[in-house]
């Protein structure tokens, strides 16, 4: 585990975490509460529903229910909290929303958040984008950095990524904008987040293990991939918030090669791993003792052909198959990033290593499953 950068402890003032009861959001809130390097005079959470992932009352975190897609819903909360820093993480998941929902929340909701920031004197806005904004979901990304272009809408095959890119553009355009010259903004692009309370990656891999399906592999497993532990992503957000807060106190605009405001940053574990090796690390943490002798490798081309047939056949009966062309492409592509910019300008380094992150995540899900079994037995 890498040490946390030895920066002096500083206060961010009043911090409002939007989506603070979600997967990433509540980890950001927890790190704000427990961090030894960052403090806040007041921590508030704005979410559509604030009933889950709440901190203990002793932590004095204020919770507000609000809909970011309606300015009239969130503006009174901003006026009451008067945040100095806003961290905006709210979004449907990659596999959990419709096109209409992605557009409404990611784009229209972000417009409302920006306007609320401008109307209430917020000085720092940190937005959670996605590393997928530069991926067309077919071409390999090898050590890609922030100089790589965002995929234009006509070439983007994932509408989630398209709306994330649109929202990011809105946020970065709001940096030092005439409507509120003191508002500084930054975009964080995490790559494939996992961890405790993950709703997509780790639960799916655990289910594969429990169903005895670890003997299948799509592709030749020569594709390096970035997976990022959630606490590292939270850490990156807080470093960005600190950098914006420090910049806002300067009387001069930083030089282009030094500036954080108006910029985007990739955040990863800085440990790319072969895709199926990561899966097997998860299965080993679950208790698997199997190697690769039992594995049946389905080549990428064969997998795409099979996925296409299954999609067509299941479409006829109004269902979705367990194997799709999207899954084949995702598990066969190379996709890892160069985070030198975040290291240099944010002082970022992962604080939880990949192996430790996997063990923490699997351990959390195992404990939750144990609790559920105990409830059933009562």
């Amino acid at each position: 585990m890498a040490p946390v950068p030895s920066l002096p402890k500083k206060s961010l003032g009043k911090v409002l975490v939007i989506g603070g009861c979600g997967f990433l959001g509540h980890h950001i809130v927890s790190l704000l509460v427990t961090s030894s390097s960052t403090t806040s005079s007041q921590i508030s959470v704005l979410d559509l529903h604030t009933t889950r992932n709440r901190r203990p009352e002793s932590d004095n975190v204020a919770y507000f229910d609000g809909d970011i897609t309606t300015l009239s819903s969130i503006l009174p909360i901003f006026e009451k909290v008067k945040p100095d820093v806003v961290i905006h993480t709210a979004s449907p998941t990659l596999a959990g929303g419709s096109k209409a929902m992605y557009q409404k929340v990611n784009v229209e909701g972000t417009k409302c958040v920006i306007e609320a920031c401008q109307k209430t004197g917020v000085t720092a806005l940190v937005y959670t984008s996605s590393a997928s904004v530069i991926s067309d979901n077919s071409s390999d990304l090898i050590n890609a950095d922030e100089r790589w272009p965002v995929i234009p809408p006509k070439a983007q095959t994932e509408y989630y990524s398209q709306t994330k890119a649109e929202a990011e553009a809105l946020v970065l355009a709001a940096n030092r904008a005439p409507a509120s010259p003191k508002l500084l903004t930054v975009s964080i692009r995490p790559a494939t987040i996992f961890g405790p309370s993950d709703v997509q990656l780790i639960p799916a891999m655990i289910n594969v293990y429990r169903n005895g399906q670890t003997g299948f592999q799509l592709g030749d497993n020569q594709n390096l991939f970035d997976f990022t532990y959630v606490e590292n992503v939270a850490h990156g957000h807080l470093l960005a918030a600190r950098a914006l807060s420090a910049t806002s106190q300067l009387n001069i605009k930083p030089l282009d090669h030094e500036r954080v405001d108006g910029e985007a940053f990739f955040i990863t574990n800085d440990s790319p791993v072969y895709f199926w090796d990561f899966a097997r690390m998860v299965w080993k943490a679950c208790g698997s003792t199997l190697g690769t002798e039992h594995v049946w490798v389905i080549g990428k081309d064969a997998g795409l052909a099979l996925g296409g047939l299954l999609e067509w056949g299941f479409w006829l009966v109004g269902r979705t198959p367990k194997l799709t062309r999207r899954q084949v492409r995702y598990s066969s592509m190379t996709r890892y990033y160069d985070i030198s910019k975040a290291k240099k300008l944010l002082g970022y380094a992962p604080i939880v290593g990949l192996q430790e992150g996997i063990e923490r995540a699997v351990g959390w899900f195992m404990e939750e499953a144990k609790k559920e079994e105990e409830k059933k037995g009562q």
Side-chain angles (χ1 to χ4, degrees), residues 11 35 50 55 64 67 100 102 150 184 186 195 199 205 211 236-237 245 248 252 267 326 336 341 344 346 363 365:
S11 174
S35 174
T50 58
R55 296 292 303 183
F64 300 91
D67 181 356
Y102 290 138
V150 172
L184 306 182
V186 72
V199 296
M205 289 185 171
N211 294 333
H237 280 70
S245 296
S248 70
I252 58 173
I267 295 293
R326 176 186 182 187
Y336 65 97
K341 184 178 177 182
K344 178 182 177 181
L346 301 181
F365 279 102

Side-chain angles (χ1 to χ4, degrees), residues 215-250:
F216 297 92
Q217 175 183 303
L218 299 171
D220 58 10
N221 196 32
Q222 294 301 303
N223 53 311
L224 286 171
F225 211 92
D226 265 323
F227 299 92
T228 315
Y229 187 65
V230 65
E231 190 173 332
N232 294 328
V233 180
H235 178 52
H237 280 70
L238 296 192
L239 288 174
R242 287 186 59 184
L244 291 186
S245 296
T247 301
S248 70
Q249 297 173 26
L250 299 175

Side-chain angles (χ1 to χ4, degrees), residues 60-284:
N60 296 315
V61 176
Y63 288 88
F64 300 91
D65 288 6
D67 181 356
I68 65 167
T69 66
T70 306
L71 183 63
S72 60
S73 174
I74 63 173
L75 189 57
I77 298 170
F78 273 70
E79 291 172 338
K80 180 176 182 178
V81 173
K82 300 188 186 319
D84 302 296
V85 174
V86 171
I87 301 176
H88 173 23
T89 73
S91 173
T93 60
L94 173 60
S98 62
K99 281 191 173 183
M101 183 180 293
Y102 290 138
Q103 177 68 25
K104 183 177 181 181
V105 178
N106 289 348
V107 180
E108 301 306 321
T110 299
K111 286 180 182 178
C112 290
V113 169
I114 292 169
E115 187 171 350
C117 288
Q118 292 172 332
K119 288 181 178 294
T120 57
V122 174
T123 56
L125 170 60
V126 181
Y127 174 66
T128 309
S129 182
S130 170
S132 66
V133 298
I134 66 165
S135 174
D136 62 8
N137 302 294
S138 60
S139 306
D140 289 337
L141 295 177
I142 301 173
N143 221 30
D145 63 23
E146 292 81 1
R147 293 172 295 182
W148 289 47
V150 172
I151 301 298
K154 289 184 179 179
Q156 181 55 263
T157 58
E158 289 282 5
Y159 196 66
Y160 166 88
S161 301
Q162 179 182 323
T163 56
K164 276 293 187 181
E166 290 177 12
E168 176 184 275
L170 291 169
V171 169
L172 298 183
N175 185 64
R176 300 179 188 268
S180 181
K182 292 184 179 181
L183 175 63
L184 306 182
T185 68
V186 72
S187 180
I188 299 297
R189 297 173 174 176
T192 315
I193 312 174
F194 75 96
S197 69
D198 174 3
V199 296
Q200 294 185 108
L201 185 64
I202 299 300
M205 289 185 171
I206 291 176
N207 284 337
V208 168
Y209 168 73
R210 287 175 175 164
N211 294 333
Q213 298 171 331
T214 62
F216 297 92
Q217 175 183 303
L218 299 171
D220 58 10
N221 196 32
Q222 294 301 303
N223 53 311
L224 286 171
F225 211 92
D226 265 323
F227 299 92
T228 315
Y229 187 65
V230 65
E231 190 173 332
N232 294 328
V233 180
H235 178 52
H237 280 70
L238 296 192
L239 288 174
R242 287 186 59 184
L244 291 186
S245 296
T247 301
S248 70
Q249 297 173 26
L250 299 175
N251 294 321
I252 58 173
K253 188 176 179 180
L255 298 174
D256 286 347
H257 69 278
E258 297 176 333
R259 63 183 294 192
V260 170
D261 65 287
E263 297 292 317
F265 295 88
F266 288 113
I267 295 293
T268 74
N269 248 73
D270 205 20
S271 306
V273 62
Y274 292 115
F275 187 92
W276 291 98
D277 286 3
F278 179 86
R280 291 181 184 113
M281 290 167 73
V282 172
W283 297 332
K284 184 176 180 180

